[in-house]
Each structure stands twice: as structure tokens, then as C-alpha cells.
Amino acid sequence: MTEEHSEGLAFHPMDQFMVKPLFGDGPIHWYTPTNVTLWMAIGVLAIVLMLVVGTRGRAIVPSRAQSIAELTYGFIHKMVEDVAGKDALKFFPYIFTLFLFIVVSNFLGLLPKAFTPTSHIAVTAVLAMLVFVTVTVVGFVKNGTHFLGLFWVSSAPLALRPVLAVIEVISYFVRPVSHSIRLAGNMMAGHAVIKVFAAFAPLVLMSAVGVVVTPLSILAITAMYGLEIIVALVQAYVFTILTCVYLKDALHPSH
Amino acid sequence: MANEHDAAAMAGDVAHGAAEAAGHAASNAGMPQLDLTSFPNQIFWLLVTLVVIYWVLSRIALPRISAVLADRSGTISGDLAAAEDYKLKAREAEAAYEKALADARAQAQKIVAEARAEIQKDLDAATAKADAEISARATESEARIAEIRAGAVEAVEAVAKDTAGELVAALGGKADATAIAAAVGARVKG
């Protein structure tokens, strides 16, 4: 009896990640406006509202919106300066762009029915590769072959150094993988779990068990949502601070 | 029975998904994240978005915010310097005020001392004058008292002589004026 009812529950936790065309049902070409386009555009709009419209007063004593913009600016500016050093500040707009895109995408993705670009490995892999390529190029341009000293741990015993070099090289190339999968995985997992709990919520309409299950699932959704708010910020923070750490390696490769 | 139904539903789902995905089969298999056909689209729009954000930040937002922050720290340090300046001025003014107060107090003390000395001098002079007058009066009075006393002694003698003479006469004696005078004189002196 119950089984028959629970068949009515729709489990599509991954549907929220589907890339769909905005208009019509056609195939997705690289230029097709999709829900990706829509939510990235909303993200850009949010950033413009926060950092451009919010600061239009240029007030010495800031308004609330301007305070938010200034605090965000100060937060990342200080992070770049503290972690990567003063000479990394010329990369600050670049790092700030990454942080804002990730944090805004993460938070917008928490809206019901929203699409989360940062839950896609395609997006986070591009972000991570941008960082990886930038760091590698900057490392070689700034330090030349000294940049390879990053892999040659001069503080270790000589016999161990070749072994460590192999490990260092591997870990260097694994960086973009972990960098991107960490973000996408976190975003995807949380959203999927919320969706799974949400699928249990309408059970009260179908079965007597729902009297217990529905409140529990709603409670679980609320708890997960709270956790996801933290994760949204923490993952953006982690991505950004790792970018700063990698950049520090490129600028000052000596251990 | 239930299983068959389930399978039918699954099949329907897949068919529906296939119709929706229309041309990219991978999406049906599981994670839409691994649907390679959507990658070019996502990457293209991501790059567009990043370029737009970067442009907005580097052209408008960041210069504006850093200008505001620099402005603010400039204003704050300027205000602090001005406050320090005012504090210094206030301290100077206080010192000047204290000095003026001390001067005034010293001046007042000097004036008071002078006035007191003057008054003392006047007082001394007046006292000396009054003393002199008093002693002159006292001398005069003493002289007069002595005169009166002398006069009184004479008068007593004369009255005693007269009375004695009268008494002797009344007792039937014959008064010898010279003897009476000598007796009275001795008595009065004695």
C-alpha cells in the first residue's frame, strides 16, 4: 500500500543541474542562450548592484550598500596582500573577479528553482585552469627557471630530493583538479541532498507515514539549507585563498 | 506487479528525458555535469561573464572603492591632525589663562600688601598723634588736679582755723589766733 504511494514521489535530484536552452527545445550550441547564461547574467547584475550601484554615493561615511561593497573589497584585498604578498596586488582585480563570480553564483544557486553555474565541473574546471595557467606563466616569467625550484625541496636531504620532486610535480598538476572538483562537488552535493529531502516532503499527501516523514524532511531541508549558506561562502573563500597561495608560489617559489 | 509498474515508469522517464535532451544522449545517463555537449556552451558563457565582471571591476568598481577608501583614510588622518592641533592650541590657551590668573593673583596680593602697609602707616601716625594728645591732656589734667588739691588743702586749713576759733570762743575761751593757727596747721599736716 505504502509502496504504491511512494511511487508517486518524484526523485529527480540531478534535474536542477541540467543545462537547458532558454528559448525553445533545440540543441545546445556554444552560443545558445541557456539557463547558464541567464543565471550568470543575474550574477553579473548582482555584482553591478553591489559594487557599482551600491557605491554611487562615494560617501566618506558609507551607506549600508557601500559598506558591503567596501567590506568585500577589503576582505579580498587583505587576503591577497597577506597570503600572496604585496607584489600580488596587481592580480587583485583578477582574484576579486573569481571570488565575486563564485560567491554570487553560490548564493544565487540557493534560490529555489535557480541554476548554480559553480556546481558544474565545466565551469569550475575553467576557473581552476585559468588560475593554473596564470600561476604557471607568472611563475616562469617572474623567476625563469628558478620557478622549478618549487619542485626541488632544498631543505630535504639530497637523497630524498628526486623523490620529493616527483611528488611535488604530481601535486602541482593535481592542483587544478582538486581546486575545481572541490568547489563543484560541494555545490552539487548540497543541492542534490536538499532535492532528495524535498522529494520526501509531499509524502503527507499520499500516505499516513507522511505525518512523520514530511516534518522531518522539511526540518532536514532547513538544516541543509543553513549548512549550504555556510558552504557557499566557505567554498568561495577556499577557492580564492588557494588561488592566493598558488600565486604566492609563483611569485616567491623558494620554500 | 509493483516492479513492473516501476520499470514502466523508469522507461517512461528515460524516454521523456531523451525527448527533452533532444540530441545529447549523455544527459540521460546520470549527472548533467558530465554531459559533454553542454560544455562549450557553459565555457563560452563563463568566459563572457568573467570578462564582463573583470571589465566592470577594473573600470568602475575597484577604482571607485579604492578612491573612496583612500579619501576616507585621508580625511580621517587630516581630521586627527586637526584635532591634535586644536588640542595643542587648547593646551596653550589653558597655559596662558593659568599664567594670567597667577599674574592677576600676584598683582592683587601686591596691591593688598601695599594698601595694608599704607593703612598701617596712617594708623601708626594717627595712633602716635592720639597718644601725644592724650598725654598732653593727662599732664594738663594732673596740673589742674594738683592745683585743685592745693586749693582744697588751703581751704580746709582756713575753715579749720575759723571753726577752731569759733569753737574756742564758744567754749568761753579767748582765742589766740596765732596759737590756733599753729595747732590747726600741725593737725592738718599731721
Side-chain angles (χ1 to χ4, degrees):
Chain A
M1 190 71 181
T2 321
E3 249 175 60
E4 227 168 281
H5 279 301
S6 63
E7 271 166 29
L9 295 179
F11 284 98
H12 298 298
M14 305 308 277
D15 276 11
Q16 59 180 322
F17 303 119
M18 291 220 295
V19 178
K20 295 174 204 147
L22 275 185
F23 313 104
D25 249 352
I28 296 168
H29 300 293
W30 59 271
Y31 53 84
T32 314
T34 55
N35 47 355
V36 179
T37 321
L38 174 68
W39 285 95
M40 283 183 182
I42 294 174
V44 170
L45 199 69
I47 291 170
V48 169
L49 274 177
M50 186 167 96
L51 291 184
V52 177
V53 180
T55 58
R56 71 191 183 287
R58 292 181 177 84
I60 293 288
V61 178
S63 62
R64 287 179 200 189
Q66 195 184 324
S67 285
I68 293 170
E70 285 173 10
L71 286 174
T72 317
Y73 177 99
F75 178 59
I76 302 301
H77 197 270
K78 192 171 180 317
M79 187 198 288
V80 174
E81 196 176 337
D82 289 356
V83 176
K86 265 207 178 318
D87 46 352
L89 280 179
K90 58 177 175 296
F91 296 100
F92 168 64
Y94 179 70
I95 294 171
F96 201 35
T97 302
L98 293 179
F99 174 78
L100 281 175
F101 173 75
I102 295 168
V103 83
V104 163
S105 297
N106 288 358
F107 274 113
L108 287 174
L110 285 173
L111 295 174
K113 297 283 180 192
F115 177 84
T116 319
T118 41
S119 68
H120 272 263
I121 193 72
V123 170
T124 58
V126 170
L127 295 175
M129 282 313 292
L130 283 175
V131 173
F132 181 77
V133 170
T134 310
V135 164
T136 309
V137 168
V138 167
F140 277 112
V141 168
K142 281 249 163 188
N143 308 291
T145 50
H146 282 297
F147 184 55
L148 294 172
L150 186 64
F151 307 114
W152 196 251
V153 188
S154 49
S155 56
L158 191 62
L160 271 178
R161 283 183 205 170
V163 182
L164 284 176
V166 172
I167 295 173
E168 289 282 339
V169 168
I170 293 172
S171 82
Y172 187 80
F173 283 99
V174 169
R175 272 177 182 181
V177 179
S178 64
H179 204 188
S180 57
I181 290 182
R182 181 183 302 110
L183 176 58
N186 267 290
M187 297 320 294
M188 184 191 74
H191 288 221
V193 168
I194 287 181
K195 200 73 175 190
V196 169
F197 282 130
F200 280 108
L203 198 63
V204 73
L205 302 173
M206 305 166 196
S207 153
V209 194
V211 177
V212 180
V213 174
T214 298
L216 273 180
S217 72
I218 290 172
L219 201 69
I221 293 169
T222 314
M224 275 308 294
Y225 198 91
L227 187 66
E228 279 304 288
I229 289 174
I230 300 170
V231 168
L233 188 61
V234 166
Q235 287 307 319
Y237 175 75
V238 166
F239 192 97
T240 316
I241 204 161
L242 281 175
T243 304
C244 292
V245 170
Y246 298 161
L247 196 59
K248 192 200 109 201
D249 282 349
L251 294 171
H252 317 281
S254 50
H255 271 277
Chain B
M1 178 72 189
N3 272 353
E4 261 171 54
H5 194 220
D6 210 12
M10 280 272 276
D13 226 23
V14 171
H16 179 67
E20 211 173 49
H24 41 111
S27 69
N28 301 322
M31 290 170 57
Q33 277 87 349
L34 300 179
D35 175 8
L36 291 176
T37 54
S38 73
F39 274 30
N41 182 267
Q42 296 199 55
I43 292 168
F44 168 68
W45 288 113
L46 171 67
L47 294 178
V48 170
T49 306
L50 289 181
V51 168
V52 171
I53 295 174
Y54 187 85
W55 187 85
V56 168
L57 287 186
S58 57
R59 289 296 166 88
I60 308 172
L62 297 186
R64 188 186 285 177
I65 295 174
S66 65
V68 167
L69 291 180
D71 225 35
R72 179 171 312 145
S73 69
T75 307
I76 288 173
S77 56
D79 284 0
L80 280 181
E84 198 59 42
D85 210 40
Y86 283 134
K87 207 165 141 191
L88 215 68
K89 271 186 192 159
R91 208 163 275 161
E92 267 167 25
E94 200 190 340
Y97 166 76
E98 290 289 350
K99 192 171 168 290
L101 200 65
D103 281 358
R105 201 164 277 157
Q107 190 80 20
Q109 232 134 32
K110 210 174 108 194
I111 288 169
V112 165
E114 265 170 21
R116 189 171 287 154
E118 204 149 306
I119 288 168
Q120 193 63 45
K121 217 169 77 187
D122 285 359
L123 201 63
D124 282 354
T127 310
K129 200 176 148 203
D131 276 353
E133 204 159 300
I134 287 167
S135 60
R137 285 261 183 93
T139 335
E140 195 176 313
S141 301
E142 262 167 32
R144 277 197 57 193
I145 288 167
E147 199 174 294
I148 289 167
R149 186 174 284 155
V153 169
E154 259 171 46
V156 165
E157 231 183 274
V159 169
K161 274 180 199 163
D162 281 357
T163 312
E166 288 297 324
L167 278 173
V168 169
L171 292 173
K174 194 168 173 266
D176 181 7
T178 327
I180 287 169
V184 168
R187 277 285 172 169
V188 168
K189 268 175 194 152

